């Protein structure tokens, strides 16, 4: 018979012991150690177990917790530990046989009940340890979202950000200490949020309104949302490139020759489980890619300063690769020799030399070779005519 788990992840509400079901109370009664943030520890004043405050940053608490292996230990978390909580971190770092979870009522459920909002139609964000820019791709009139924030001061920061992005008419529903004796809920304007005082823990429901720009959901976002020095895969080509890359849930992209970062940023926008690394040899462009990613809510993009293939050697293997710059025989040979079978490769070329190289590899390796020729209406004297862009040759193949 396997041993019983030594670690319990326990969801605690703002009502402390009063709101705990019998199984959670029993876990606390038999605990040798209780570990959690100071606020959570203060909600269980009568526990006789050893108390350990979880340090900040959060990752520093994992070695401490590992050292408690073999002692009956309870880790305190807010509400549902698996909804923007500590539960997923525990699950990644400890064997399934070592722990059990006893979730409480989530803050999102309490907030939705307070507001009368259907959770299936409401976006939820855990921004207590993430930037407010995570909101940017989603902001559009009519959106309803519930946010967990770092502390009371973050309410004013949220109001400032919404005003700066053009959504100054938003209504904010600020809820403090939901489910506990200090519970308070207020609906405020952005101005009132800037002037008000709010107490931690806090969550905010947003009714989005205003004249701010809403981003389209389809691939091929407008070029002007990106800061660029002109080195950018333009919108129609970008849409075709994302279609060829065909992102799937949980996949990782290498974007070689990042330029502005538009391909990898749009890749990440497709699904929150996607990851990407962009490789850029110029420091100024690498910094610009970082700014674009942060501003557009894709701060999880990894930017690697260097030249392929040398910069690729120690990176996590990709599921898809885009070559937007630096195309060469050496690079293609390295990718062919080092990437896993099944990796998707897409390369764009505009010069005759690069076109010839892609044509040669298409002949050897197969795949699809596409010539994309676009023209845009522009003034021609008193009338209009077609102004052609350089044709782009795109090769896509599964290795």
């Amino acid at each position: 018979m396997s041993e019983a788990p030594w670690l319990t992840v326990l969801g605690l509400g703002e009502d402390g012991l009063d709101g705990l079901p019998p199984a959670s109370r029993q876990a606390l009664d038999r605990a040798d150690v209780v570990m959690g943030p100071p606020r959570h520890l203060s909600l269980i004043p009568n526990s006789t177990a050893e108390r350990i405050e979880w340090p900040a940053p959060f990752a520093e608490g994992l070695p401490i917790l590992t050292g408690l292996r073999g002692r009956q230990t309870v880790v305190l978390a807010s509400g549902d530990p698996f909804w923007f909580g500590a539960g997923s971190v525990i699950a990644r770092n400890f064997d399934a046989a070592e722990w059990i979870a006893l979730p409480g009522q989530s803050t999102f459920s309490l907030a939705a009940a307070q507001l009368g909002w259907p959770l299936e139609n409401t976006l939820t964000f855990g921004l207590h340890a993430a930037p407010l820019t995570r909101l940017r791709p989603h902001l559009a009139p009519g959106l309803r979202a519930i946010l967990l924030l770092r502390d009371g001061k973050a309410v004013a920061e949220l109001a400032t950000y919404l005003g700066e992005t053009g959504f100054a008419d938003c209504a904010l529903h600020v809820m403090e200490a939901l489910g506990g004796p200090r519970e308070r809920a207020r609906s405020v304007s952005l101005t009132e949020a800037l002037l008000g005082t709010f107490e931690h823990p806090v969550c905010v429901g947003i009714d989005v309104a205003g004249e701010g720009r809403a981003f389209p959901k389809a691939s091929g976002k407008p070029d002007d949302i990106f800061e660029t020095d002109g080195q950018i895969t333009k919108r129609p080509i970008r849409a075709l490139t994302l279609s060829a890359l065909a992102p799937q849930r949980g996949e990782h992209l290498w974007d070689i020759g990042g330029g502005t970062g538009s391909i990898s940023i749009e890749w990440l926008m497709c699904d929150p489980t996607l990851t990407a690394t962009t490789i850029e040899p110029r420091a100024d462009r690498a910094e610009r890619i970082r700014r674009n990613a942060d501003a557009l809510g894709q701060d999880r993009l990894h930017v690697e300063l260097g030249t392929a293939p040398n910069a690729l050697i120690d990176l996590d293997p990709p599921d898809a690769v885009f070559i937007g710059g630096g195309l060469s025989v050496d690079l293609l040979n390295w990718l062919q020799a080092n990437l896993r079978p099944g990796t998707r490769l897409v390369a764009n070329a505009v010069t005759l030399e690069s076109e010839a190289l892609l044509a040669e590899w298409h002949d050897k390796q197969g795949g699809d070779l596409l010539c994309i020729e676009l023209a845009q209406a522009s003034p021609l004297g008193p009338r209009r005519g077609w102004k052609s862009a350089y044709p782009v040759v795109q090769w896509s193949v599964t290795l």
Side-chain angles (χ1 to χ4, degrees), residues 146-178:
I146 299 173
L147 284 59
L148 305 182
L149 296 180
R150 180 188 68 250
D151 54 28
K153 294 180 181 179
V155 177
E157 295 170 10
L158 172 63
T160 299
Y161 180 71
L162 292 171
E164 290 173 347
T165 51
F167 295 95
D169 297 331
C170 290
L172 302 184
H173 309 284
V174 185
M175 293 159 280
E176 304 158 81
L178 280 177

Side-chain angles (χ1 to χ4, degrees), residues 14 39-40 78 83-84 107-108 111 124-135 145-162 172-178 188 190 193 198-206:
E14 289 302 307
R39 182 175 64 83
H40 290 77
S78 293
W83 205 343
F84 298 114
T107 301
F108 295 113
T124 57
F125 295 88
L127 301 182
H128 42 293
L132 295 173
T133 51
R134 293 274 180 94
L135 289 172
I146 299 173
L147 284 59
L148 305 182
L149 296 180
R150 180 188 68 250
D151 54 28
K153 294 180 181 179
V155 177
E157 295 170 10
L158 172 63
T160 299
Y161 180 71
L162 292 171
L172 302 184
H173 309 284
V174 185
M175 293 159 280
E176 304 158 81
L178 280 177
V188 298
L190 296 195
F198 307 95
E199 298 296 328
H200 181 68
V202 62
C203 73
V204 177
I206 310 177

